[in-house]
């Protein structure tokens, strides 16, 4: 407020002069506060410290205080879309995307040979280290996103892109290998891709200096 002009309020007509003065004074104080909305309710713009409260407001069931900031923001962002579309392919994909995974969902009738009725498989790809903890969290999120009659299996693929140099050979392209569920202590290291990777090799010769 820029002046003391009386504004409509919620006080009753028999309010005392003190009550009306307090109403006017607090109104002026509130006008000095920059409203935090709508940024406060935006998962990508809200302060990091407010994310747990926003997650609770949106009904997030699976939450890790140790997760990185990007994962927390994605989890809150996908909370409502996942709940609204529970039981659909989109909800299952969102459940995995919240953990920074790239999911591929295949229903039972899309598999060769067809799987058990009302089952689906989830292949999740990640460029981040994968652990038993992440695997258990993914299972809980998928269980919340699926319908009651559905069953599912999960496999995890670790992917690396670009050029990977080992000794004098340069590996070009995408290296991908798929592991069932989880391998304890597995990380996306160079050795993890060598066994099952498909790649092309550019050989080069290294000569001693001065030869």
């Amino acid at each position: 407020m820029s002046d003391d002009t009386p504004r409509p309020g919620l006080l009753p007509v028999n309010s005392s002069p003190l009550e009306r003065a307090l109403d006017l004074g607090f109104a002026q104080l509130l006008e000095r506060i920059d409203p935090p909305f709508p940024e406060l309710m935006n998962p990508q713009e809200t302060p990091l410290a407010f994310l747990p409260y926003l997650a609770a407001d949106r009904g997030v069931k699976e939450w890790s205080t140790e997760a990185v900031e990007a994962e927390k923001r994605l989890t809150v962002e996908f909370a409502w879309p996942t709940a609204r579309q529970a039981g659909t392919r989109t909800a299952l994909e969102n459940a995995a995307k919240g953990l920074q995974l790239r999911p591929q969902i295949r229903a039972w009738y899309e598999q060769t040979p067809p799987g058990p009725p009302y089952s689906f498989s989830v292949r999740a790809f990640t460029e981040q280290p994968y652990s038993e903890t992440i695997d258990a969290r993914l299972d809980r999120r998928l269980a919340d996103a699926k319908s009651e009659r559905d069953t599912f299996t999960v496999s995890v693929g670790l992917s690396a892109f670009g050029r990977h140099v080992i000794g004098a050979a340069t590996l070009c392209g995408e290296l991908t290998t798929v592991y069932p569920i989880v391998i304890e202590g597995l990380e996306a290291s160079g050795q993890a891709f060598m066994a099952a990777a498909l790649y092309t090799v550019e050989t080069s010769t290294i000569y001693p200096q001065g030869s």
Side-chain angles (χ1 to χ4, degrees):
M1 296 181 182
S2 58
D3 53 48
D4 295 335
T5 303
R7 300 292 196 276
L10 299 178
L11 293 176
V13 294
N14 63 341
S15 57
S16 68
L18 176 59
E19 290 173 333
R20 290 194 293 271
L22 290 173
D23 180 53
L24 179 61
F26 281 119
Q28 292 176 331
L29 290 175
L30 290 174
E31 286 294 329
R32 300 176 187 175
I33 300 175
D34 293 330
F37 300 97
E39 291 79 7
L40 188 66
M41 305 303 290
N42 186 332
Q44 298 303 324
E45 298 182 11
T46 194
L48 177 60
F50 189 72
L51 276 173
Y53 303 101
L54 191 56
D57 177 71
R58 300 197 175 187
V60 174
K61 297 180 180 179
E62 201 290 312
W63 180 262
S64 173
T65 57
E66 299 178 356
V68 297
E69 179 180 345
E71 179 189 308
K72 291 180 178 179
R73 294 189 183 278
L74 284 173
T75 295
V76 177
E77 180 178 353
F78 286 119
W80 279 349
T82 302
R84 283 196 299 263
Q85 298 174 301
T88 67
R89 184 188 301 267
T90 300
L92 298 172
E93 292 174 345
N94 287 341
K97 289 178 181 178
L99 289 172
Q100 296 182 290
L101 304 175
R102 293 183 289 111
Q104 292 180 356
I105 310 295
R106 296 185 63 193
W108 63 275
Y109 53 82
E110 298 174 322
Q111 302 172 22
T112 305
Y118 307 115
S119 68
F120 61 89
S121 65
V122 180
R123 178 174 291 181
F125 294 91
T126 178
E127 298 174 23
Q128 306 295 325
Y130 198 81
S131 65
E132 291 182 357
T133 300
I134 297 296
D135 181 73
R137 295 180 62 201
L138 176 59
D139 286 348
R140 290 196 294 270
R141 294 194 181 198
L142 291 173
D144 289 336
K146 73 178 185 67
S147 63
E148 283 293 326
R149 67 184 180 184
D150 288 341
T151 59
F152 62 88
T153 58
V154 178
S155 60
V156 180
L158 303 178
S159 298
F161 300 90
R163 301 169 67 88
H164 306 268
V165 179
I166 302 177
T170 301
L171 311 183
C172 301
E174 177 182 348
L175 310 182
T176 302
T177 182
V178 177
Y179 299 89
I181 306 302
V182 67
I183 297 179
E184 183 177 359
L186 181 65
E187 293 187 358
S189 63
Q191 294 182 350
F193 299 108
M194 293 180 64
L198 297 176
Y199 51 83
T200 59
V201 178
E202 296 177 1
T203 59
S204 59
T205 303
I206 301 176
Y207 296 95
Q209 187 174 2
S211 61

